[in-house]
């Protein structure tokens, strides 16, 4: 069985592109291909006009692709600030020698990166938990910190894998607002997997629908909502 099979779709610069479908449809596998965790046996990916067969995750980050995960993947014993700071590691240019000395150019770079992290903390309204170990935070705030770490990479394409999973209504409303702000204020292109259809219809510019590794629908939220194949495979299921 193929996780994804002959699927073709695009993500336009500046849009929010939703990927939906029932469990096992291939949604996470698609994100894993885009950011280099999986190497497809066939097919190509075109990013910023350049065709590639495969990519390592660190190469994807270097090209401007950041990712959050279904399950929170943070350093639970570290503070909010330090977790977000880890997202800046790919932006650090100074050698390990200078970083070890923590002097001169390395110190200047460290200060600049911390200023960038503080801007993200203010943007996501989490200044009050700046020094709190993330393992002590409520789940919704942990998801916000993970978003902050991804933003610290300064992505041009942000991949969000079920950013609302496990959240209550208030937490979903907060996360939806921040996703819109990231898209509209920071100009970040977003591709997201989400099961909450209210969130999908409110946030996304276009939606692609997968089922058993194949594409069964693609278009605006309204077009997808009225697609009979999508209704039969997914939207008819209670969520």
């Amino acid at each position: 069985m193929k996780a994804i099979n002959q699927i073709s779709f695009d993500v336009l610069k500046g849009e929010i592109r939703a990927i939906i479908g029932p469990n096992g449809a291939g949604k996470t596998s698609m994100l894993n291909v885009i950011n280099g965790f999986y190497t497809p046996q066939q097919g190509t990916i075109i990013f910023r006009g350049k065709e590639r067969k495969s990519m390592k995750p660190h190469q994807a980050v270097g090209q401007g692709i950041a990712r959050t995960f279904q399950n929170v993947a943070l350093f639970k014993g570290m503070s909010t600030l330090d977790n977000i700071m880890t997202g800046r590691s790919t932006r650090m240019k100074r050698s390990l020698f200078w970083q070890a000395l923590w002097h001169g150019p390395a110190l200047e770079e460290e200060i600049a990166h911390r200023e960038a992290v503080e801007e993200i903390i203010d943007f996501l309204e989490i200044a009050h938990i700046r020094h709190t170990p993330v393992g002590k935070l409520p789940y919704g705030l942990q998801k916000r910190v993970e978003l902050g770490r991804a933003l610290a990479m300064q992505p041009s394409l942000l991949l969000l894998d079920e950013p609302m999973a496990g959240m209550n209504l208030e937490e979903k409303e907060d996360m939806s607002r921040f996703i819109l702000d990231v898209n509209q204020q920071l100009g970040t292109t977003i591709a997201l997997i989400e099961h909450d259809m209210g969130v999908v219809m409110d946030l996304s510019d276009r939606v692609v629908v997968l089922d058993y590794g194949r594409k069964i629908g693609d278009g605006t939220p309204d077009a997808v909502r009225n697609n009979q194949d999508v209704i039969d495979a997914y939207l008819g299921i209670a969520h």
Side-chain angles (χ1 to χ4, degrees):
M1 181 177 177
K2 297 179 179 180
I4 47 178
N5 185 27
Q6 296 183 334
I7 295 174
S8 176
F9 68 95
D10 59 0
V11 181
L12 301 179
K13 183 178 180 180
E15 77 172 344
I16 298 178
R17 181 71 138 129
I19 304 170
I20 68 171
N23 291 331
K27 305 180 298 297
T28 296
S29 294
M30 178 57 68
L31 290 195
N32 285 339
V33 168
I34 293 172
N35 81 316
F37 280 108
Y38 291 171
T39 299
Q41 293 175 306
Q42 293 178 313
T44 57
I45 296 172
I46 298 173
F47 183 60
R48 290 180 168 176
K50 293 183 179 180
E51 184 177 304
R52 60 183 175 85
K53 297 288 185 181
S54 64
M55 182 184 290
K56 300 296 184 184
H58 72 274
Q59 293 172 324
V61 170
Q63 291 196 11
I65 302 174
R67 168 91 178 268
T68 67
F69 297 86
Q70 288 182 25
N71 299 313
V72 176
L74 295 169
F75 299 102
K76 298 297 179 69
M78 291 169 54
S79 70
T80 291
L81 188 150
D82 288 338
N83 266 279
I84 297 176
M85 192 69 182
T86 63
R88 300 295 299 177
S89 60
T90 58
R91 297 283 170 180
M92 294 180 179
K93 307 299 183 185
R94 299 300 173 183
S95 67
L96 287 174
F97 171 78
W98 281 109
Q99 290 181 31
L101 288 178
W102 210 65
H103 180 72
L107 178 58
E108 293 172 1
E109 185 180 55
E110 172 85 6
I111 292 171
H113 285 304
R114 284 194 173 273
E115 288 176 350
V117 167
E118 289 293 348
E119 289 178 2
I120 292 169
I121 286 173
D122 289 342
F123 181 81
L124 294 176
E125 300 174 6
I126 50 177
H128 61 294
I129 58 166
R130 178 190 288 106
H131 298 300
T132 304
V134 296
K136 295 183 178 180
L137 297 174
Y139 181 74
L141 282 177
Q142 289 189 29
K143 296 284 276 189
R144 205 185 302 180
V145 173
E146 188 178 33
L147 174 61
R149 184 176 61 182
L151 293 179
M153 301 177 194
Q154 293 181 287
S156 56
L157 174 60
L158 177 60
L159 309 176
L160 303 177
D161 195 347
E162 296 192 30
M164 316 287 179
M167 290 187 176
N168 60 37
L169 179 58
E170 183 178 356
E171 290 170 335
K172 286 183 178 182
E173 289 175 347
D174 285 341
M175 182 60 76
S176 294
R177 174 167 58 90
F178 288 119
I179 289 173
L180 282 174
D181 286 346
V182 169
N183 176 249
Q184 296 172 2
Q185 296 183 29
L186 304 184
T188 307
T189 303
I190 296 173
L192 69 90
I193 294 172
E194 183 53 54
H195 281 293
D196 188 318
M197 293 312 301
V199 169
V200 169
M201 296 302 168
D202 287 344
L203 292 184
S204 58
D205 297 298
R206 292 187 300 153
V207 183
V208 60
V209 191
L210 308 183
D211 186 37
Y212 291 108
R214 61 190 180 92
K215 183 173 77 172
I216 62 171
D218 193 353
T220 65
D222 283 340
V224 165
R225 188 177 4 221
N226 295 314
N227 182 317
Q228 191 59 49
D229 288 337
V230 176
I231 293 171
D232 293 342
Y234 185 59
L235 297 186
I237 302 172
H239 290 282

